[in-house]
Amino acid sequence: MPVLAQVDLRLDAGPLDYTLLAVYFVFVLGIGFLARRSVSSSLDFLLSGRSLPAWVTGLAFISANLGAIELLGMAANGAQYGMATVHYYWIGAIPAMVFLGLVMMPFYYGSKVRSVPEFLRRRFGKGAHLVNAISFAVAQVLIAGVNLYALAFLLNLMLGWPIPLSVVIAAAIVLTYTALGGLSAAIYNEVLQFFVIVAALLPLTIVGLHKVGGWDGLVEKVTGGPGGSEQLSAWPATELTGIQNPVLSVIGIVFGLGFVLSFGYWTTNFAEVQRALSAKSMSAARRTPIIGAYPKMLIPFVIIIPGIIAALVVPEMVALKAGDDSGGVVYNNALPALIGELLPNGMLGIAITGLLASFMAGVAANVSSFNTVFTYDLWQDYVRKDRPDEYYLRVGRLATIGGTVVAIGTAFLAAGYGNIMDYIQALFSFFNAPLFATFILAMFWKRMSAAAGWAGLVAGTLGAVAVFVLAETGVLDLPGQGASFVGAGVAFGVDIVVSVAVTMFTRPVPEERLVGLVYSLTPKEDRRHSTTGDDAGWYRSPVLLGIGVLLLTAVLNIIFG
Amino acid sequence: MARKAGLFDLRLVIAVLFAIYGVVLLVVGLGFTDEADLTKADGLNINLWSGIGMIALSAVFAAWATLRPVIVPEGGEGTGTA
């Protein structure tokens, strides 16, 4: 009964809460206007003029990903599966982020490419570049629409705002600051958003823990609850994977989630990599994902634990967890439901602001990476070459507007057909899955030919589609996350096999064109970063920081294992 | 010649936003919290404590921005090289 659910989740927001929300909007738009003054070229607009310090790009790196699906979805997983959800962070993000910073960033940043597709153009020429640039651009505007719809849906649920109104207001705010200040405005707002989200979720977690009687009370209540004490330990996560055998479940997590899925996402998704490319030096670019990894390691404590608590203290969630779904709530409501249950006016306003901030930053990340790929990789490479830079700055601004308008259209489409969102997300996991295989071969195997570049990508994508179709039609029986793990694995394997096979029968790319792009053809000095000035000091060493976060993550795995 | 980027330092923006939020929550927590609010948050005056926390965060960013101001090198590397 959806009507009942709406009544349950309506938050009791007062004038004070709306004022706090309005203050945030003033800051968000203010950053857009201020950032505009520093935009004088297309590189300023689309890549922040490669001028940002590492702590800013590092926080933006994780904020760009801290959108609607992440916040609500991970709290929901916490409510449903318990502590096993931390794998999405500790296994599914941290190692890939460290790998991106230490191994891949020297080629991304060192080659001075302006986007991930541009790396493919320099390495393989037009075939692979077109496949990647078009699929990425389409994916980003459609996902921006899905994010917009998720935001409007939540506003409707919590505050009673009409969905079309919410879509248009949110899109107008994002459009205003990204069209004015470009990537700098998007990134600065992502950093601001990070702190607002933490300011919203940390007090919520503290009140929640107080309510259940501290950590001991939480342990006691979860152990006595329907999930049992299994839900307090991260391993072997049989519920999460849907794989009954504990050993196979661990293998599924480490290889499926930890290796194929997460490396594909974190190391080749331009919406993420773009944050690092906007850093001011090679050292800052390498530190970007690694600095981001530290908060990424800790943030599950303020997302997953509130999810677990919601399933203990919100009556409707307790009923749902016990198997009674007549209350009309779904696990995705865990976070808003807990906010409504525990926070008084004042903090309630901060919490609403935090949720909204996260959703808007997600949309802004999609739009600001779309406009870069559209401008540099599609318009400049294939439509209008060799124009003065002001021309491309204007194209970048127009692409921002166009992308947002298409996203609004997608949002209304998603509002009309509920499960279209699931299909859009499935569609883009297909494009993402084989990319990591192609990039690793491209960076470390100089023989790999241009034809292998696009052939591997296309074949890998088709492999993932095949698994998806087989799972949907019931030919393959894979419960839970199993289908996406296997799909990504197949895409990875097919990409490698096809790339190697095609390379054997085609001519290699001339070596002089690969300097700076391939490991064995890049002089060691070019991969090094400076260690003077703003890059000096042992605490700014990417390797040391990377080892540090891996060790801390291992310790957390032991404590919460 | 180098100049300070005093007008648009993100750390100051963060400091100002959380100073506003912190003071508002502190005032609400001290002066406008009734029994119902306290009961809802399980007896914690969460507005008061969050307000104090946000003021502390604001102070940290203000101090950092004051002690280590951003120096913008004139015609620095990376700008306008498109």
Side-chain angles (χ1 to χ4, degrees):
Chain A
M1 286 201 295
V3 180
L4 200 67
Q6 284 181 12
V7 176
D8 284 336
L9 286 167
R10 185 64 52 84
L11 299 176
D12 191 17
L16 173 65
D17 304 311
Y18 281 110
T19 310
L20 292 171
L21 183 60
V23 167
Y24 182 71
F25 284 153
V26 170
F27 271 74
V28 164
L29 293 176
I31 284 178
F33 281 100
L34 284 173
R36 184 182 190 179
R37 296 182 319 176
S38 64
V39 174
S40 55
S41 72
S42 71
L43 200 69
D44 287 343
F45 184 73
L46 298 170
L47 227 46
S48 298
R50 298 193 208 272
S51 63
L52 300 179
W55 72 273
V56 169
T57 52
L59 287 177
F61 189 90
I62 58 160
S63 269
N65 169 261
L66 205 58
I69 296 147
E70 162 93 8
L71 266 188
L72 298 187
M74 290 303 146
N77 279 338
Q80 192 171 2
Y81 302 116
M83 283 302 283
T85 312
V86 295
H87 292 314
Y88 284 102
Y89 297 82
W90 296 345
I91 300 291
I94 309 286
M97 289 163 80
V98 172
F99 186 85
L100 171 65
L102 294 186
V103 179
M104 294 174 74
M105 198 52 71
F107 303 104
Y108 276 140
Y109 195 88
S111 63
K112 291 282 170 212
V113 293
R114 297 164 300 181
S115 70
V116 167
E118 187 168 288
F119 183 90
L120 288 176
R121 179 173 62 78
R122 299 251 315 262
R123 176 66 180 81
F124 296 120
K126 284 185 177 167
H129 177 245
L130 258 184
V131 171
N132 183 235
I134 291 177
S135 64
F136 180 82
V138 173
Q140 289 306 306
V141 282
L142 294 187
I143 292 176
V146 170
N147 275 331
L148 263 184
Y149 173 68
L151 176 149
F153 186 78
L154 191 78
L155 278 179
N156 179 262
L157 214 59
M158 295 192 317
L159 303 174
W161 296 6
I163 286 183
L165 181 73
S166 312
V167 167
V168 173
I169 289 181
I173 291 174
V174 170
L175 178 61
T176 306
Y177 73 75
T178 47
L180 283 171
L183 185 64
S184 299
I187 283 183
Y188 278 15
N189 272 318
E190 279 159 9
V191 175
L192 195 64
Q193 166 231 350
F194 172 80
F195 289 104
V196 174
I197 290 179
V198 173
L201 293 181
L202 188 60
L204 180 68
T205 311
I206 291 171
V207 176
L209 277 177
H210 196 262
K211 180 95 174 176
V212 296
W215 185 255
D216 293 339
L218 180 81
V219 169
E220 193 184 308
K221 286 198 169 67
V222 171
T223 309
S229 60
E230 264 175 50
Q231 296 214 335
L232 286 166
S233 53
W235 298 98
T238 46
E239 266 191 293
L240 186 77
T241 53
I243 301 170
Q244 288 312 311
N245 183 320
V247 178
L248 290 181
S249 176
V250 169
I251 293 174
I253 293 260
V254 171
F255 286 95
L257 177 66
F259 186 64
V260 184
L261 274 183
S262 99
F263 276 69
Y265 177 81
W266 291 102
T267 64
T268 64
N269 185 339
F270 180 55
E272 296 296 335
V273 175
Q274 186 181 25
R275 271 75 200 144
L277 292 186
S278 67
K280 65 182 173 183
S281 67
M282 171 76 97
S283 167
R286 297 186 72 190
R287 275 181 281 139
T288 293
I290 298 170
I291 287 176
Y294 283 86
K296 187 78 183 170
M297 171 180 74
L298 297 174
I299 210 148
F301 290 109
V302 294
I303 299 177
I304 297 170
I305 289 178
I308 297 176
I309 292 170
L312 296 174
V313 305
V314 180
E316 297 85 358
M317 300 295 297
V318 177
L320 176 65
K321 182 113 179 168
D324 169 20
D325 57 5
S326 63
V329 289
V330 291
Y331 282 117
N332 261 332
N333 298 146
L335 208 52
L338 190 70
I339 288 170
E341 185 81 14
L342 295 180
L343 295 182
N345 293 104
M347 262 317 294
L348 180 65
I350 304 285
I352 295 171
T353 306
L355 287 183
L356 268 184
S358 124
F359 286 47
M360 289 200 316
V363 179
N366 300 136
V367 171
S368 62
S369 55
F370 162 79
N371 63 14
T372 307
V373 168
F374 182 86
T375 305
Y376 285 147
D377 291 294
L378 295 174
W379 201 263
Q380 189 175 29
D381 282 342
Y382 297 101
V383 184
R384 289 277 183 274
K385 277 184 188 161
D386 303 323
R387 295 289 176 98
D389 187 65
E390 302 88 70
Y391 174 81
Y392 295 110
L393 174 59
R394 205 161 60 239
V395 170
R397 284 217 159 92
L398 290 174
T400 310
I401 297 170
T404 312
V405 170
V406 176
I408 292 175
T410 316
F412 282 112
L413 202 66
Y417 308 89
N419 40 16
I420 210 166
M421 286 169 57
D422 298 334
Y423 286 106
I424 287 177
Q425 273 159 26
L427 185 64
F428 299 122
S429 68
F430 302 152
F431 293 126
N432 227 27
L435 265 176
F436 177 61
T438 296
F439 269 90
I440 279 303
L441 287 177
M443 285 176 178
F444 292 95
W445 190 34
K446 65 179 179 182
R447 174 74 178 78
M448 188 177 182
S449 70
W454 65 264
L457 278 182
V458 171
T461 306
L462 292 177
V465 173
V467 172
F468 177 77
V469 170
L470 290 179
E472 283 289 294
T473 51
V475 179
L476 272 174
D477 182 31
L478 293 161
Q481 288 288 307
S484 65
F485 290 1
V486 173
V490 167
F492 184 86
V494 169
D495 185 305
I496 299 259
V497 169
V498 170
S499 299
V500 172
V502 172
T503 296
M504 291 307 153
F505 296 100
T506 44
R507 271 184 303 144
V509 180
E511 292 197 354
E512 61 274 14
R513 277 179 42 200
L514 300 182
V515 176
L517 304 172
V518 180
Y519 180 81
S520 59
L521 297 173
T522 306
K524 204 161 182 206
E525 316 65 273
D526 289 3
R527 283 184 270 123
R528 283 237 189 87
H529 54 80
S530 78
T531 49
T532 53
D534 276 353
D535 297 326
W538 60 268
Y539 57 91
R540 291 201 180 99
S541 155
V543 174
L544 211 62
L545 287 168
I547 292 172
V549 74
L550 289 178
L551 284 179
L552 286 173
T553 308
V555 169
L556 285 174
N557 261 298
I558 292 166
I559 295 175
F560 293 95
Chain B
M1 207 184 105
R3 65 189 160 86
K4 286 182 189 174
L7 267 176
F8 191 37
D9 185 337
L10 180 61
R11 294 170 297 183
L12 287 177
V13 177
I14 294 170
V16 174
L17 177 68
F18 281 98
I20 296 173
Y21 277 179
V23 169
V24 170
L25 288 183
L26 187 74
V27 169
V28 171
L30 285 176
F32 301 91
T33 297
D34 55 23
E35 259 332 288
D37 289 337
L38 282 179
T39 317
K40 198 173 183 191
D42 196 38
L44 283 179
N45 192 340
I46 193 63
N47 281 338
L48 175 69
W49 290 111
S50 305
I52 292 172
M54 288 178 198
I55 291 170
L57 179 71
S58 165
V60 168
F61 271 97
W64 182 18
T66 316
L67 295 175
R68 301 279 299 271
V70 180
I71 307 292
V72 181
E74 210 62 32
E77 58 161 331
T79 44
T81 49

